Each structure stands twice: as structure tokens, then as C-alpha cells.
Amino acid sequence: MIRTFGTAIVLAMLSLFAVTASADTWEQGRHYQKLDTPVPTASNGKIEVAEVFWYGCPHCYNFKPIIEAWEKQLPDDVDFVLLPAALNRSWAAHAQTFYALQSMGEQSRLHDALFDALAGEHRRLNTPDALADFVAEHGVDRAAFLKNYNSFGVNALMQKAQSKIRGARITGVPALIVNGKYRISGSDAGSYENMLKIADFLVEKERAAMAE
């Protein structure tokens, strides 16, 4: 079919409008998934958005500045939490490091450094000793870290987090769990920005349900 230049422009604009409109119409089962069985949340009285991530994931590394900017704009009734995934042995070591540092009050301070080392520089920090050496480079007591890393309390936190991740049927990262009821993946959402737009949509949905 032959179209005039003007007609082509109009059709292109209509196509762009259709894409934009559909992007703001988030469909369950297509853009996000509702969990068959909700998973527990730790955000009493608030709407929880949990990011499931791995320190060595390049996609999580690229998502990090985007979701951090989004987090700063969250209203008071939304609680953002991090859930390190342990989908294999090396991931488990990094997740355990997250909780060991958290128990020492050092997780926030070393969060960027761990991402830079594992996802940015691809350093092979896959054992407790290698991770202990790394955190010691950043001023954390090596022996205290290993003690916490191997502690019952950290293991309990690990098991609780992984149970939640399994319950949400998450097999890849980054992913979001909204209020223990919905799962958002990059593949379903189509982009990092859409993941957060869908999260905003679901937060509003939960806020409306709580107000009823």
C-alpha cells in the first residue's frame, strides 16, 4: 500500500499514542503476576515493596540508581526493603554477607562497594574467607564478620528471606514483590522504568483496598 508522507506521520503518531496508552494499562497475568498464595511482609501497617536482587547481577546493577531515585520519592505509607536472592551457592554467600553486615550495622555502608566489586568489577568473592577479606578492606573487623556470617541469627534471616522468595516463585532478578501479593519481573514489565510504574500502580491498588 502506498501512503502519502502526511498520512504516514499521522499513522506514526497514532501508533505512538497506542503504545503509550497501553503502557499505562497494566494487566494482571501480562505485565505482573498475582501470587496464588501471598507471602509474609515485615512492614506492619505499611505497603511493602521488596526488591529481590543479587550483588553480582548486571541488570540489578543497572537498576540500582533507578530504583534508589524512586525510593527517595516514596510516601510514608510505603516501606521499601531489599531481599538478596540465594538461587545458587555463590549467590547464597553474597546473601549471607548482606545479613551478616546488616547484623553489624554495616550493610548500608558497604552496599555500593559490594555491587561495584561483584557486578561492576566481576571479582571472584564467592567464599566466606574471600568476602571476609573484602569487607576487611573496607574497615569491617574480619573475625567479627565471620562470626556473624556463621551465626544462627543470620542463618535464620537467610532462611526467612529465601522462603519468601521461593513463595513468590522468583527465578530471576531483579524482581519486585508488592505487599506480598504481586510479582513484577523485568521480562513481564518490559523495562526497569515500567517495573516501577507497575509498582506504583499496585501500591495505589493496595492503598485503595486498605481504605475500604
Side-chain angles (χ1 to χ4, degrees):
M1 180 184 295
I2 299 173
R3 300 190 180 100
T4 65
F5 182 69
T7 303
I9 291 176
V10 171
L11 290 172
M13 291 178 67
L14 289 173
S15 176
L16 178 61
F17 176 80
V19 169
T20 303
S22 65
D24 291 332
T25 307
W26 309 116
E27 298 178 14
Q28 180 181 313
R30 179 183 175 192
H31 299 110
Y32 67 91
Q33 308 298 323
K34 185 174 183 179
L35 304 182
D36 293 335
T37 303
V39 295
T41 69
S43 305
N44 295 328
K46 292 190 175 185
I47 300 167
E48 182 183 278
V49 178
E51 181 196 359
V52 184
F53 76 101
W54 169 45
Y55 277 123
C57 168
H59 303 294
C60 300
Y61 194 47
N62 293 331
F63 189 36
K64 182 175 177 290
I66 300 170
I67 198 168
E68 286 178 346
W70 176 82
E71 180 193 0
K72 291 177 182 178
Q73 307 300 319
L74 288 176
D76 291 340
D77 66 340
V78 179
D79 192 21
F80 177 73
V81 300
L82 291 169
L83 282 179
L87 302 183
N88 61 40
R89 184 173 296 179
S90 63
W91 289 31
H94 303 150
Q96 198 148 330
T97 295
F98 174 95
Y99 288 111
L101 290 172
Q102 186 181 78
S103 70
M104 300 172 73
E106 296 279 17
Q107 185 275 320
S108 295
R109 186 173 72 84
L110 269 70
H111 189 61
D112 289 354
L114 281 162
F115 255 123
D116 289 340
L118 290 164
E121 302 167 13
H122 308 291
R123 291 180 62 176
R124 295 182 64 82
L125 305 173
N126 299 326
T127 66
D129 282 336
L131 287 159
D133 289 340
F134 174 78
V135 299
E137 293 172 12
H138 292 270
V140 175
D141 183 88
R142 190 181 191 280
F145 168 78
L146 286 172
K147 182 178 179 180
N148 279 277
Y149 183 96
N150 294 306
S151 69
F152 175 82
V154 164
N155 184 63
L157 289 171
M158 271 281 292
Q159 295 304 316
K160 184 177 180 180
Q162 302 322 306
S163 176
K164 184 170 181 174
I165 291 168
R166 287 192 299 271
R169 297 184 179 276
I170 289 172
T171 58
V173 293
L176 301 175
I177 306 171
V178 179
N179 221 27
K181 299 178 182 179
Y182 304 98
R183 181 181 71 246
I184 306 169
S185 67
S187 58
D188 284 344
S191 71
Y192 301 140
E193 290 78 9
N194 280 355
M195 288 179 71
L196 299 179
K197 288 179 181 180
I198 296 167
D200 287 336
F201 166 78
L202 293 172
V203 164
E204 287 295 335
K205 185 181 179 72
E206 286 298 289
R207 185 180 289 125
M210 292 168 70
E212 291 179 353

